[in-house]
Amino acid sequence: MSALPGTTGRRRIYLMRHGHVDYFGKEIREAGGDFSVVPLTPLGQEQAKAAGIALSHVSFDRAVCSGYPRTKQTAEYVLAAQPSGTAPALEIDSGLVEVHGGDYGHVKSRAEMAAKMAFHFDIAGEPGASMLPGGEAFADAMARSVASIERLLGEPGWHTMLIAAHEGINRLILGWASGGGLSAVRAFEQDTACINVLDFDMVPNENGGTKIERVMIKAVNLTPYNYVKHGMNMNSLEAIFARDPA
């Protein structure tokens, strides 16, 4: 099994959130409110490029995204900053798509949408909680996203992976990795184009494969375009729904 240099069975995942998007943009309106089609804004592109520069010295041997345009673009900007000819091909794992939302109701403004979503992840630990009425249960989204991480970790031939995913999915993965489960989801803020660093110690299992022996969260919510968060006084959802996210 490939392992990080200096270790016997350790693998690292750089888990990113996609860059800034506009959920009130023309692409969303033309798609009838389908959030899966939203691309990065110019600001989101600059954020992803900053992440690419920060990660340009990291040698990735796998790269995965959820397949939504915003995660695909984010990963592509990061991989474009790798030394020429060294970036791995970008793969898609649909188990990492964002938590499927339910009924938003009739929303008239950005401020109203921000108010609806402001504390939504705070309820993830409640029994049966879902992403808005009729949406995907947080427990189900955690199960599918963690299953993807475990499957990727069980595959041979890599030690350093880039994953570009989403706020909700990242929160769920971090909740699982921390041992706090769904109750911990509320604590893991994920700013746009942020980077999380997770290490996994892998050991042989009885079936001839490997299993996770230990998870270590090395870093959370790093934003290379503003490492110390100066002036970033809104949370990520407030910033996305603001007219002037800068």
Side-chain angles (χ1 to χ4, degrees), residues 228-244:
V228 297
K229 314 284 186 178
H230 179 66
M232 295 174 63
N233 302 326
M234 294 182 283
N235 67 32
S236 64
L237 285 172
E238 291 167 341
I240 281 178
F241 292 123
R243 291 192 179 275
D244 182 13

Side-chain angles (χ1 to χ4, degrees), residues 57-128:
H57 64 291
V58 177
S59 297
F60 295 112
D61 41 19
R62 292 282 297 274
V64 178
C65 72
S66 75
Y68 283 3
R70 55 193 185 268
T71 65
K72 185 172 183 288
Q73 289 175 301
T74 298
E76 287 173 342
Y77 278 117
V78 172
L79 294 176
Q82 294 280 289
S84 179
T86 64
L90 181 59
E91 308 166 39
I92 292 174
D93 189 320
S94 60
L96 299 172
V97 300
E98 183 59 299
V99 185
H100 305 304
D103 184 11
Y104 289 84
H106 183 58
V107 178
K108 298 179 181 179
S109 68
R110 294 171 181 269
E112 188 176 345
M113 178 67 90
K116 270 184 185 291
M117 299 297 296
F119 297 97
H120 202 70
F121 290 111
D122 289 25
I123 69 167
E126 297 178 6

Side-chain angles (χ1 to χ4, degrees), residues 14-20 44 47-48 51 55 74 78 162-167 170-171 174 188-197 219-227 229 232 236:
Y14 289 85
L15 177 65
M16 288 191 63
R17 185 189 180 185
H18 60 78
H20 181 267
Q47 291 174 340
L55 294 169
T74 298
V78 172
L162 171 71
I163 294 180
H166 305 264
E167 177 181 22
N170 288 6
R171 283 176 176 253
L174 289 165
F188 288 107
E189 177 68 1
Q190 291 287 277
D191 291 309
T192 47
C194 71
I195 302 167
N196 309 283
V197 185
V220 174
N221 200 25
L222 299 174
T223 46
Y225 53 89
N226 188 347
Y227 276 115
K229 314 284 186 178
M232 295 174 63
S236 64

